Amino acid sequence: SFSFPFTLRRSTNMKRRRDEEGADEAYGIVDADIYFPSLYVQQDEMEDHDGVSKGKYTLGLGQSQMAVCSDREDACSMALNVVSRLLDKHGIDVQSVGRVEVGTESIVDKSKSIKTVLMRLFKSGGNFEVEGLDTYNACYGGTQALFNAIDWMYSPFRRKEYAIVVTTDVAVYAHGPARPTGGGGAVALLIGRDPILAMKPGMRVVYMDDTLDFFKPNGRSEYPYVDGPLSISCYLRAFDYCYARLAELYYSRSIDDERSQSSSTSHMNGKGARQNGVSGSNGGVSPSEVNVEEENNSKGEIRRLENGTSLASTDRFSSEWEYATLHAPYCKLVRKAIGRVVWHERESVSAGKSREGELMPYSHLSPEQSLQDKGVEKVLAKMGEPLFDQKVACTLTAASRVGNMYTGSLYGCIISLLCTTSIDEAVGKNVLAYSYGSGLASAMFLLSVRRSAANTRRLIDLDRRLDEREKITPAQAEYVLDVRERMVKDDLMPSSDLKSIRKGDYYLAGYEKGGFRMYKQKQ
C-alpha cells in the first residue's frame, strides 16, 4: 500500500503519543471565543414600543437585551469572524487543526457547506487536510458537532492536535410575541488535550423524538413556525429524561468503579484466598456486592419513569455538579428546567421518604402530568431559586444580553461561565450541560473543570465587548429586520451601509451570478 512519508511519520508519532498519554487522557474545550453583532436593542424599551405590560420581556422572558443582525450578516460571515478571531487572537497555528465541525440551522446554500467557506482561513496557511462538515437540526447541531469532534480526538485516524467546533446562527422571528426571543451569534470551541473543560468519558445521554414544535419549511423566509407551548413541553420532557438517565449512569458508573477497586483490593489481599472457611472476608458476600448494597441504600432504589426509563434516585445528583449550563432560548426557560431538578429531587428519593412542604398538594401527579401543571411550575420555580442563583445565574450573561443564538445558545452559556472568575475555583468539579433542538434532538453530558480559564477569559473580554456595542431603538431594530426580511424573501442585494461592521470583520458583500454569496473583510 502507498502512503505519503509525512503521513506515516505523523501517524507513528501520534500512536506513540497516545501510548504515552494512556487510556485516561482527557479531551475537551482547550480554548473558545464568541462573536455577536454590534447592534442591540434594550428589551425594556421593546416592551414600551410593543405596548405590552411592563416586565413581559425582561421578567417574563428573563431577557435584558437582544442582538440585531443586519442584512450584512449571516451564518457564514459570523462563522468566519469567530473562527478567525479564535485563530488570530488566541494564536492557534492553522496547521495544528485537523477537523472543523459546524453546527447551524441557518443554512445559506442547499449544497455548499459553511465548513467549506471556512476553509479560506486554513488554505492561506497551506492546510487542506481538515475533516468535518456541517450538522443541522434546529439548535442541536452544535452539540452533535462537539460529539463528533470529541470522538475524533480518540480516533486512530486523527493526525493533528486540534479540532474546532463552530456554532453559528441568525435567530429572527416575525412580528409578534416570539420576536423578543431572537438574537444571533457564533461560538468557536478549540478541542484538544489539556482542556479547561474536559468531556467526562461515558457521561453523556441523548433523547430523540419526532415532534413538530418548531420548523422552517419555507426556503424564502428565515422565520420559523413555532408552537410555543409544545416546544416548552418538549424541552422540559427531554430535560427530565436526560437528567434522570444521566443520574442513573453517573451512579451506576460509581458503583462499577467501586466494584473494580474492591476487586483489585481483594486480589492484592490474597488473590481470593479463603478466610474463616469461606471465600473472601464477608461470609460469602463479595466486596463488590456489599458496595452495591451500600450504594442502593445511600442513593435510593432504582425506579422506572412512565416512559420506561430506568431512574436512579436523583436526590443527590445536584450535589455532583458545581454549575449547570443549559440551552437558553430565553433565560426564563432555564429557570423552569432548574425547577425540574427540584421535582426530581423530591420525586425520586430513597424509600420511605416523601415530598414535603409546598409540593405536597401535587404529590398525586405523575412526572408527565407535572409538566403541564402551572401550579407545580410556579412552586418549583420558587423552590429552585437558591440552586439557580448558586449554580446557573453566572452562566447566562451572553444569553440575557445577546439573546437566542440557536446552536450557540448552550455554548454561549459555557463562554459566560469561562468568563467568571469563580470557574477557576472549581477545578476538579463537574459542569452539567444540557442541549436541546426542536424536532427533537437533545443531550445532557458532564464536563470536568481541569484548569484555570484566566487566559481565555482575558482574550474573550466578554463584558467589555458587550458594553461597546451600539444600542439602537426598537423602531430602528424593526427597520433593520424588515430590510433583512425583504432581502431573503426577494433575493435582493444587501443594502445596509458598513457602519455596523467592525474593522477586520467579515460581512456579506453581495451575490455573484447564480446567487452565490460573496464575503469580504472590512479594511
Side-chain angles (χ1 to χ4, degrees):
S1 61
F2 175 78
S3 295
F4 289 108
F6 74 85
T7 302
L8 288 172
R9 183 169 60 253
R10 294 188 67 151
S11 297
T12 303
N13 289 341
M14 189 62 69
K15 182 181 185 303
R16 184 184 304 116
R17 183 157 58 251
R18 285 201 183 93
D19 292 341
E20 292 171 354
E21 292 168 0
D24 295 330
E25 175 66 15
Y27 298 98
I29 301 171
V30 175
D31 214 337
D33 216 320
I34 186 172
Y35 173 86
F36 37 79
S38 66
L39 302 178
Y40 77 96
V41 62
Q42 286 287 144
Q43 291 278 14
D44 57 351
E45 294 180 9
M46 287 183 66
E47 291 170 347
D48 295 335
H49 180 267
D50 293 348
V52 300
S53 58
K54 199 68 175 174
K56 185 175 179 64
Y57 304 156
T58 52
L59 299 178
L61 296 177
Q63 300 301 112
S64 60
Q65 299 168 348
M66 183 183 79
V68 180
C69 295
S70 76
D71 59 341
R72 290 292 184 176
E73 299 196 272
D74 65 10
C76 285
S77 69
M78 292 194 295
L80 285 166
N81 285 326
V82 77
V83 175
S84 62
R85 181 179 172 86
L86 180 70
L87 294 173
D88 297 341
K89 296 283 186 182
H90 300 249
I92 309 302
D93 180 6
V94 296
Q95 285 289 352
S96 67
V97 179
R99 191 177 189 94
V100 173
E101 291 273 349
V102 178
T104 187
E105 65 172 271
S106 305
I107 59 173
V108 299
D109 191 283
K110 294 179 181 178
S111 177
K112 183 176 173 61
S113 69
I114 295 174
K115 153 56 188 316
T116 60
V117 175
L118 292 174
M119 282 305 299
R120 70 180 62 185
L121 303 176
F122 296 89
K123 72 178 183 180
S124 61
N127 184 7
F128 295 89
E129 191 179 352
V130 184
E131 296 185 38
L133 286 169
D134 297 1
T135 301
Y136 84 96
N137 182 85
C139 302
Y140 185 78
T143 295
Q144 189 60 57
L146 174 62
F147 291 169
N148 293 347
I150 290 291
D151 292 346
W152 178 77
M153 294 304 298
Y154 287 99
S155 166
F157 296 102
R158 176 172 67 89
R159 293 192 295 274
K160 296 192 177 184
E161 294 298 313
Y162 298 118
I164 294 177
V165 172
V166 185
T167 67
T168 179
D169 276 303
V170 176
V172 289
Y173 295 84
H175 290 279
R179 174 155 281 190
T181 63
V187 172
L189 308 174
L190 185 70
I191 307 300
R193 54 190 296 252
D194 188 26
I196 301 170
L197 295 174
M199 183 80 76
K200 290 183 76 71
M203 291 293 107
R204 80 188 194 201
V205 298
V206 301
Y207 176 80
M208 306 280 176
D209 199 359
D210 179 10
T211 65
L212 292 175
D213 55 320
F214 178 110
F215 48 99
K216 297 178 179 178
N218 186 353
R220 287 190 173 275
S221 174
E222 294 180 305
Y223 300 151
Y225 290 90
V226 186
D227 184 332
L230 177 60
S231 191
I232 293 171
S233 178
C234 289
Y235 177 103
L236 296 176
R237 182 181 297 108
F239 181 91
D240 270 10
Y241 183 99
C242 289
Y243 191 78
R245 189 73 179 88
L246 189 63
E248 177 191 21
L249 191 63
Y250 183 87
Y251 287 130
S252 65
R253 179 66 62 89
S254 298
I255 293 172
D256 289 343
D257 289 346
E258 291 201 18
R259 278 177 173 166
S260 177
Q261 185 177 1
S262 297
S263 176
S264 176
T265 302
S266 175
H267 182 78
M268 294 297 292
N269 289 338
K271 300 181 179 180
R274 296 172 61 87
Q275 300 179 24
N276 298 325
V278 295
S279 177
S281 59
N282 296 298
V285 179
S286 71
S288 62
E289 289 171 331
V290 173
N291 286 334
V292 171
E293 235 172 68
E294 291 173 350
E295 286 290 340
N296 287 338
N297 287 337
S298 65
K299 294 184 175 69
E301 59 184 5
I302 293 180
R303 307 174 61 240
R304 293 272 169 182
L305 288 178
E306 288 181 334
N307 56 18
T309 308
S310 175
L311 174 62
S313 172
T314 58
D315 60 331
R316 289 177 52 186
F317 191 43
S318 66
S319 66
E320 307 290 355
W321 40 271
E322 192 74 6
Y323 297 103
T325 54
L326 279 62
H327 172 60
Y330 57 93
C331 295
K332 189 65 174 288
L333 186 54
V334 175
R335 283 186 178 272
K336 292 181 180 181
I338 296 303
R340 299 306 300 173
V341 173
V342 175
W343 174 266
H344 278 295
E345 295 194 345
R346 298 298 187 273
E347 168 66 15
S348 308
V349 292
S350 303
K353 193 176 179 182
S354 61
R355 287 168 291 191
E356 301 174 353
E358 296 178 81
L359 280 176
M360 189 58 70
Y362 309 101
S363 60
H364 64 286
L365 297 179
S366 68
E368 177 64 26
Q369 290 171 330
S370 71
L371 287 172
Q372 313 299 328
D373 194 291
K374 292 297 183 182
V376 172
E377 181 182 297
K378 291 180 180 179
V379 171
L380 292 177
K382 182 178 180 181
M383 295 178 68
E385 283 181 0
L387 187 63
F388 178 88
D389 292 341
Q390 180 185 357
K391 299 192 175 190
V392 184
C394 66
T395 72
L396 295 175
T397 301
S400 65
R401 298 188 64 182
V402 175
N404 198 349
M405 293 194 292
Y406 286 165
T407 55
S409 179
L410 165 61
Y411 302 99
C413 292
I414 289 177
I415 288 282
S416 299
L417 178 60
L418 294 177
C419 289
T420 62
T421 56
S422 58
I423 187 69
D424 297 341
E425 302 168 6
V427 173
K429 304 293 182 64
N430 294 326
V431 175
L432 185 75
Y434 172 62
S435 178
Y436 176 83
S438 293
L440 65 79
S442 65
M444 188 175 287
F445 51 98
L446 283 179
L447 300 164
S448 176
V449 184
R450 300 292 289 260
R451 60 179 174 85
S452 169
N455 189 57
T456 295
R457 182 164 54 249
R458 177 181 62 82
L459 293 171
I460 294 176
D461 203 6
L462 181 61
D463 289 333
R464 180 191 62 80
R465 290 169 59 201
L466 286 169
D467 292 341
E468 287 183 350
R469 293 175 299 165
E470 178 186 353
K471 188 181 83 166
I472 58 177
T473 67
Q476 289 172 320
E478 277 198 1
Y479 176 78
V480 170
L481 294 177
D482 287 345
V483 170
R484 181 181 189 89
E485 178 183 358
R486 290 194 298 271
M487 180 192 74
V488 174
K489 181 180 179 181
D490 300 326
D491 285 334
L492 301 178
M493 294 287 283
S495 57
S496 299
D497 60 37
L498 301 182
K499 181 182 177 182
S500 65
I501 303 299
R502 306 174 185 93
K503 183 179 179 180
D505 281 355
Y506 288 88
Y507 63 93
L508 177 60
Y511 301 94
E512 290 183 346
K513 186 176 181 180
F516 178 72
R517 297 189 175 200
M518 300 181 296
Y519 301 94
K520 293 183 179 180
Q521 198 171 13
K522 185 176 180 180
Q523 301 302 316

